Structures are given as structure tokens and as C-alpha cells.
Amino acid sequence: MPLPRNLFKRDNFFFRAKSKEQPYKLSDYNGLYLLVHSNGSKYWRFRRTINGKDTTRALGMYPIMTLAEARKARDEFLKSLSQGIDPLHSAKEKIVSFEEIALLIPVSVNGMNFP
């Protein structure tokens, strides 16, 4: 089976994309596309149907995230889906506040230790 033509698109193809009156999409392969807004900003998006629902994931802003990086992020997303993990709904790491860290440091006042 031959590979799709758009698999061979290069970063230059997306770099030359100009803004229009309405936002538009430039598709790559396997659900990855570049969304070009009317103000000229460009965003990598990945669209997939999971459990019968269409989901769109924002991957990053172009050119900060290159085509190769966007493809890698898409492939990692697909790999985790094949392992039965939905990255959109998996538990995120908890952000630790300064107060929580301060409570872990033992304090000594006038020779008395406080945990």
C-alpha cells in the first residue's frame, strides 16, 4: 500500500501558510493539522475519535513546535491510546504550593522543635 502524499510535507509547507479572513486547516497525516487563524497565529491540533466522540487536542504553537515535534506528540498520544490510556483524562501531577513545602520544614523556636 503506498504512503499518503501528504506524509512527505515539510516544515516549509506550513511556514508559508498565510492568514485569510477565516481560520483554516492544513492537514498533515493521521489526524494532525495546522490551524491558521485570521490574525496569523498557527496552532498544531490533533483530532481523533475516541469511544464514538470526536476529540481535538491542542499540541502547541507553530513555529515554536516544529512539524517533527508535532508528529512525535501525535504518535505518543496514539501509543498511549493503544495501551488503553486516555491522555486527555489521565491524572495530572499535583502542583505543590509554598505552604505545603513550608509545613515540611522543621522549625526551632527558643530551643523548642516544632514539626
Side-chain angles (χ1 to χ4, degrees), residues 6-38:
N6 56 3
L7 180 63
F8 301 106
K9 286 183 181 171
R10 306 213 184 250
D11 218 17
N12 189 14
F13 174 79
F14 298 102
F15 180 76
R16 289 182 286 149
K18 303 292 181 201
S19 62
K20 298 180 181 177
E21 271 188 44
Q22 297 292 322
Y24 66 99
K25 300 174 186 178
L26 293 172
S27 62
D28 182 49
Y29 177 66
N30 210 2
L32 180 67
Y33 63 92
L34 185 74
L35 181 63
V36 182
H37 286 276
S38 56

Side-chain angles (χ1 to χ4, degrees), residues 31-98:
L32 180 67
Y33 63 92
L34 185 74
L35 181 63
V36 182
H37 286 276
S38 56
N39 64 3
S41 59
K42 303 172 186 177
Y43 296 93
W44 289 113
R45 299 280 191 257
F46 173 64
R47 185 175 181 150
R48 200 69 177 164
T49 302
I50 302 172
N51 298 328
K53 294 182 181 179
D54 282 339
T55 58
T56 303
R57 180 178 181 193
L59 297 178
M61 191 172 182
Y62 182 84
I64 296 169
M65 177 180 260
T66 64
L67 174 60
E69 293 169 339
R71 285 177 175 168
K72 184 178 179 184
R74 177 208 51 211
D75 293 342
E76 289 172 0
F77 185 86
L78 289 173
K79 183 179 178 183
S80 61
L81 280 177
S82 69
Q83 295 170 351
I85 301 167
D86 185 358
L88 293 175
H89 297 99
S90 62
K92 299 200 184 283
E93 292 183 26
K94 183 183 177 203
I95 298 173
V96 181
S97 69
F98 178 77

Side-chain angles (χ1 to χ4, degrees), residues 101-109 112-115:
I101 294 172
L103 291 174
L104 297 174
I105 301 171
V107 179
S108 176
V109 178
M112 296 179 63
N113 293 329
F114 298 96

